[in-house]
Amino acid sequence: MSEQQRTNAVIVGAGMAGVQTAVALREQGFTGTVTLIGAEPHQPYDRPPLSKAVLLGKAEGSAFDVDFEALGVTLELGREVTGLRPDDHELDTAEGPVPYDVLVVATGAEPVRLPGTEGPCGVREAQSVEGGGGRRAGVPGVHLLRTLDDAERLRPVLAEQHDVVVVGAGWIGAEFATAAREAGCKVTVVEAAERPLAGALPAEIAAPMAAWYADAGAQLRTRARVERIEPGVVVLDDGTRLPAGAVVVGIGARPATRWLAGSGIELGVHREVLADERLRTSVPDVYAVGDCSSFPSARYGERLMVHHWDNALQGPRTVAANIIGETPAVYDPVPYFWSEQFGRFVQYAGHHQSADTAVWRGDPAGAAWSVCWLREGALVAVLAVGKPRDLAQGRKLIEAGTVLNPEQLADPARPLKSAVA
């Protein structure tokens, strides 16, 4: 279908990626109809505040400040999409089919559940395409933290200062543990790997972060697996019994793409939609953006799947440009994310591999330090803890492919940008 014939744009997923796609279409001059479909009944909202302000009762919600009516965007909320029929250019929903000229898949990711907590004590509601939809975990007292409903169920847990066991010492586990400690809860974090953030950072980088838990008054138990969960108790595989007024599971997320089964859209090994450099799928007139998809990066020479807020903010601009079609756009960003945990502001930009050379800037036992990764001398990634200037300068140098002097780079007293070779 030519760009001139695309007068009906439908976006599935009302999170950051979906909302920003609708906004970008209007900002870039799309004059056709725009329909945004969300599985949750709530007004579209931002997710990062869920693990902070909303969870602690400092905010009632985090709805996007977007006037959908003024933009001419039709909201279809509380509507679950169950399938896609590309030959008919139609979506399947419980309320009937939805036709489209161009479709954007922005259904995000859904949390991985702890085995044994899916049932039979409380069968979950129908699968939401947005990975949550306010559904309860199968075992009483076991929580996820992905949706607004999840955060609202957890608020009284923190307010009543329950003993909390967090399963998983990744980004979301650390952020929840931070909020729980701030609320006065006794917190134990259980991690199967030998260190926190084992899947995200190399051992020598992540190992110093283990001390952050103790500094905040939380107990971190590594090399520990959950054997089972009993009422009020988490039993580990070594027989240890941990008191638990509540259990919060944060062991990762997977693309929410089950509803695409049989559609012909090509998926990757993680069930992510395999988008091309213009964020088009393998099916004509269908695009994919945000956590549910991956894209080929010429900058890094590999396909990237980025489950972070900035990706859901930036990608929609490329999707909108390619739907409108006046100037084809290629998506190849420098990935970026941040995390606030245990009184520290952690930022990361870029993408590194194990073969890249890591250069430390500062002592990881201190309050502020950073690590840079070089590939053939060029900066490809930077992790900054309490050093926003390093992150800001590093991000620009990564975008430019700048070669740096490793010796000068290792001096934390020098501005990062002054280490240009």
Side-chain angles (χ1 to χ4, degrees):
M1 184 177 293
S2 69
E3 286 75 18
Q4 291 75 20
Q5 295 173 304
R6 292 174 169 178
T7 60
N8 174 24
V10 175
I11 304 162
V12 183
M16 171 63 80
V19 167
Q20 290 301 318
T21 299
V23 171
L25 281 169
R26 290 306 191 212
E27 287 181 344
Q28 296 183 33
F30 185 80
T31 58
T33 61
V34 177
T35 302
L36 182 64
I37 301 176
E40 295 183 57
H42 309 292
Q43 190 75 4
Y45 61 87
D46 202 6
R47 293 191 188 277
L50 299 184
S51 61
K52 305 174 184 71
V54 175
L55 190 62
L56 290 170
K58 298 177 180 179
E60 289 304 313
S62 56
F64 291 111
D65 185 17
V66 175
D67 190 336
F68 294 100
E69 184 176 356
L71 283 175
V73 174
T74 300
L75 294 181
E76 294 282 351
L77 303 177
R79 188 169 190 176
E80 182 184 351
V81 176
T82 57
L84 168 63
R85 290 177 285 113
D87 291 344
D88 299 323
H89 272 65
E90 284 188 341
L91 296 166
D92 291 324
T93 77
E95 295 82 3
V98 177
Y100 67 86
D101 294 330
V102 60
L103 174 67
V104 180
V105 178
T107 45
E110 57 189 7
V112 176
R113 292 171 181 80
L114 192 66
T117 62
E118 301 90 343
C121 307
V123 178
R124 299 183 69 89
E125 298 173 24
Q127 180 70 34
S128 162
V129 299
E130 290 184 77
R135 300 153 301 160
R136 294 181 180 275
V139 173
V142 178
H143 301 262
L144 303 170
L145 182 52
R146 185 76 183 182
T147 70
L148 179 59
D149 288 338
D150 291 336
E152 290 180 344
R153 278 194 293 270
L154 279 164
R155 279 168 68 166
V157 171
L158 270 59
E160 295 164 13
Q161 299 185 334
H162 285 284
D163 288 355
V164 177
V165 173
V166 181
V167 183
W171 300 113
I172 191 65
E175 289 185 2
F176 178 80
T178 299
R181 285 298 301 139
E182 183 176 338
C185 298
K186 180 180 178 182
V187 178
T188 302
V189 181
V190 177
E191 170 57 51
E194 71 279 3
R195 63 184 186 278
L197 296 168
L201 295 173
E204 67 273 16
I205 310 297
M209 297 178 176
W212 297 358
Y213 290 78
D215 291 345
Q219 183 183 18
L220 173 64
R221 299 181 67 105
T222 57
R223 298 187 179 90
R225 294 183 179 275
V226 175
E227 179 70 26
R228 65 184 182 276
I229 297 175
E230 301 174 355
V233 177
V234 173
V235 183
L236 303 183
D237 57 359
D238 64 357
T240 301
R241 298 173 65 85
L242 302 174
V247 179
V248 178
V249 179
I251 55 176
R254 296 194 182 103
T257 55
R258 297 177 191 273
W259 65 284
L260 292 172
S263 68
I265 288 182
E266 187 177 0
L267 303 181
V269 294
H270 301 290
R271 296 204 321 255
E272 81 280 12
V273 177
L274 297 178
D276 68 6
E277 71 282 356
R278 292 171 60 181
L279 300 184
R280 299 172 297 189
T281 73
S282 59
V283 168
D285 303 316
V286 181
Y287 294 76
V289 66
D291 290 5
C292 67
S293 63
S294 65
F295 58 90
S297 171
R299 183 190 307 275
Y300 291 105
E302 60 181 292
R303 179 170 284 275
L304 300 181
M305 183 171 64
V306 181
H307 280 191
H308 294 297
W309 186 90
D310 192 65
N311 180 51
L313 174 67
Q314 303 294 339
R317 298 167 189 167
T318 299
V319 169
N322 288 319
I323 287 174
I324 294 169
E326 294 180 0
T327 304
V330 170
Y331 190 60
D332 196 5
V334 173
Y336 167 75
F337 74 90
W338 80 96
S339 176
E340 295 179 69
Q341 49 185 269
F342 308 117
R344 295 166 174 83
F345 187 43
V346 183
Q347 296 172 283
Y348 179 92
H351 175 71
H352 72 273
Q353 298 173 335
S354 58
D356 297 329
T357 301
V359 179
W360 287 83
R361 288 173 53 81
D363 183 355
W369 51 275
S370 62
V371 180
C372 297
W373 283 269
L374 303 178
R375 184 179 305 170
E376 297 179 357
L379 185 66
V380 294
V382 56
L383 171 74
V385 177
K387 298 194 73 170
R389 184 173 298 179
D390 273 14
L391 190 287
Q393 293 179 8
R395 194 173 183 180
K396 293 178 180 178
L397 295 171
I398 295 168
E399 289 173 348
T402 305
V403 174
L404 301 182
N405 181 305
E407 289 74 23
Q408 294 179 357
L409 183 63
D411 182 357
R414 296 181 61 113
L416 195 151
K417 63 182 181 182
S418 72
V420 175

